[in-house]
């Protein structure tokens, strides 16, 4: 389990939002896998003129049952960055397994605040804290449930913020899975008029949650790894990273060092695919474990070990969860739960309801939903790219290169985001 935790640290540090002071340069990577892992190097990132200091806040649902092992996570945490004058409010939704104040979310908070918005940054409904503290069903990964949770939480936050600032309107944005969530929130809002969103920005969204995550999972299979196991492969990465660190002239474990390390050790395309797949699997494992414990579903934790205590050893469960691909989670856990609530739902229908294809007709008609992303996004296949180009037309702003969110911090990408959501 040491390797999973160490890999998580490396992957979280790589895209940290350190701002560059140099003049704009072109985005440096044309390889989509390298772009996805390395992101935007510090020297070519967008520079904020007057960065704001965001606030971390919390909401607690009174009477909610939270397992003792998760007692530290009773509150749902989120970030705000408010203007000192009347302004519209932008809700920003994180990607799969990401927290409200992760590197990408902190960057987007600054982007939209600089654009003139009050900003509320929300963790993904697939993040452990959200599952524990705010999810109604406690079974993340089914878009209709996740969107209902987001909508409810956003309503509570709006009520709280209205007491301290003047809100002149509402918009919503999200990256990766959060972008897909934003589209579904907009479709629901078009019927309820709860927020009447002016702008809806999808940043590097998947078209089908199922297709994208199974694509990522495929890079941890024998087809990509050969006869070696993913755990052995990650052990190899950690050993290579450790050896580089021991022999490098290190002054600071910052973005420049991490970028040089990844570049110098000569990773192959297979290596990059493994790192991307492993990063997703770490998020998925956390999601599965938190859901299993909250529901006492006995998927990972045997019945004799409930209830888990703060002193309970958790690493065996985390390692077991890491080995579960999303398709197994769907078939063995999520789908049985959905059928418990609705015996008529089929596997195909559950997958369809978690894709933009299920709201295609509405997306083609509305002009408020826009997309910014990349043609070489590694979570998209040819069918997905054609969907975005056909359904959104001129509302799809797709860069040639950048992989999955790799160029999100590049000035050219930031300019497009700000232009698309001008208050």
């Amino acid at each position: 389990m040491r390797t999973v935790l160490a890999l998580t640290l490396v992957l979280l540090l790589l895209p940290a939002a350190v701002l560059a002071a140099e003049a704009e340069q072109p985005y440096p990577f044309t390889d989509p896998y390298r772009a996805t892992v390395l992101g935007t190097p510090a020297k070519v990132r967008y520079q904020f003129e007057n960065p704001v200091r965001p606030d971390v806040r919390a909401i607690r649902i009174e009477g909610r049952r939270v397992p003792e092992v998760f007692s530290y996570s009773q509150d749902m945490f989120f970030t705000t960055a408010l203007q000192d004058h009347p302004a519209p409010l932008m809700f920003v939704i994180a990607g799969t397994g990401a927290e409200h104040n992760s590197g990408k979310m902190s960057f987007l908070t600054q982007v939209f605040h600089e654009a003139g918005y009050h900003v509320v940054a929300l963790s993904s409904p697939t993040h452990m804290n959200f599952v524990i503290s705010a999810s109604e069903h406690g079974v993340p990964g089914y878009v209709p449930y996740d969107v209902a949770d987001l909508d409810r939480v956003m309503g509570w936050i709006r009520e709280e913020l209205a007491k301290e600032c003047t809100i002149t309107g509402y918009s919503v944005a999200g990256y990766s899975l959060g972008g897909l969530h934003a589209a579904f929130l907009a479709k629901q809002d078009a019927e309820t008029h709860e927020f009447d969103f002016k702008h809806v920005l999808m940043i590097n969204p998947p078209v089908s949650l199922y297709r994208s995550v199974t694509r990522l999972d495929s890079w941890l299979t024998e087809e990509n790894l050969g006869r070696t196991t993913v755990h052995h492969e990650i052990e190899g990465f950690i050993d290579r990273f450790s050896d580089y660190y021991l022999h490098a002239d290190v002054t600071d474990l910052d973005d420049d060092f991490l970028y040089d390390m990844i570049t110098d050790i000569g990773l192959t395309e297979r290596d990059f695919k493994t790192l991307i797949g492993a990063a997703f699997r770490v998020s998925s494992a956390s999601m599965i474990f938190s859901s299993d414990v909250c529901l006492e579903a006995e998927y990972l934790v045997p019945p004799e070990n409930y209830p888990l205590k703060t002193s309970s050893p958790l690493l065996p469960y985390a390692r077991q969860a890491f080995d579960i691909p999303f398709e197994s989670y769907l078939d063995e856990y999520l789908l049985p739960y959905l059928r418990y609530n609705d015996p008529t739902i089929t596997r195909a229908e559950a997958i369809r309801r978690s894709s933009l294809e299920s709201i295609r007709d509405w997306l083609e008609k509305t002009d408020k939903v826009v997309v910014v992303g990349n043609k070489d996004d590694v979570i998209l296949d040819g069918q997905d790219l054609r969907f975005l180009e056909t359904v959104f037309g001129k509302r799809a702003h797709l860069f040639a290169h950048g992989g999955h969110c790799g160029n999100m911090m590049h000035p050219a990408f930031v300019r497009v985001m700000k232009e698309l959501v001008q208050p």
Side-chain angles (χ1 to χ4, degrees), residues 20 29-30 34 36 98 141 169 182 261 280 331 334 341:
F29 305 125
T30 57
R34 182 176 293 269
T36 301
M261 177 182 70
F280 168 74
D331 291 333
L334 178 56
N341 291 322

Side-chain angles (χ1 to χ4, degrees), residues 10 39 59 88 103 183 397:
V10 171
I59 288 178
H397 302 260

Side-chain angles (χ1 to χ4, degrees), residues 179-331:
L180 185 145
H181 286 150
F184 276 83
L185 282 164
K187 169 66 166 59
Q188 178 175 301
D189 186 67
E191 300 166 359
T192 65
H193 299 283
E194 182 179 2
F195 295 98
D196 281 323
F197 294 122
K198 180 179 180 182
H199 297 294
V200 181
L201 177 62
M202 296 196 296
I203 305 165
N204 287 106
V207 172
S208 164
L209 171 59
Y210 174 79
R211 281 202 300 272
S212 288
V213 298
T214 52
R215 181 178 175 87
L216 296 176
D217 274 334
S218 73
W219 297 337
L220 301 184
T221 63
E222 186 175 337
E223 181 180 358
N224 184 55
L225 297 180
R227 294 186 177 182
T228 186
T229 67
V230 63
H231 292 281
H232 178 76
E233 195 77 9
I234 294 172
E235 288 276 5
F237 287 135
I238 300 304
D239 289 342
R240 292 160 72 181
F241 295 156
S242 300
D243 184 67
Y244 184 91
Y245 176 82
L246 289 173
H247 294 91
D249 182 16
V250 182
T251 56
D252 191 11
L253 191 64
D254 59 8
D255 272 22
D256 289 331
F257 167 76
L258 291 167
Y259 172 77
D260 290 341
M261 177 182 70
I262 294 292
T263 302
D264 291 347
I265 64 176
L267 297 182
T268 65
E269 179 178 303
R270 191 193 79 162
D271 293 333
F272 282 114
K273 284 183 175 180
T274 303
L275 284 169
I276 295 166
F280 168 74
R281 189 66 69 80
V282 169
S283 298
S284 176
S286 174
M287 175 190 79
I288 294 170
F289 175 68
S290 57
S291 176
D292 182 54
V293 173
C294 286
L295 297 186
E296 296 190 4
E298 302 175 13
Y299 186 54
L300 295 171
V301 182
E304 62 269 18
N305 290 356
Y306 283 115
L308 292 181
K309 307 291 185 181
T310 53
S311 59
S312 300
L314 302 181
L315 289 183
Y317 307 126
R319 187 180 183 93
Q320 183 182 352
F322 182 80
D323 289 331
I324 299 174
F326 184 84
E327 191 154 18
S328 295
Y329 169 73
L330 170 65
D331 291 333

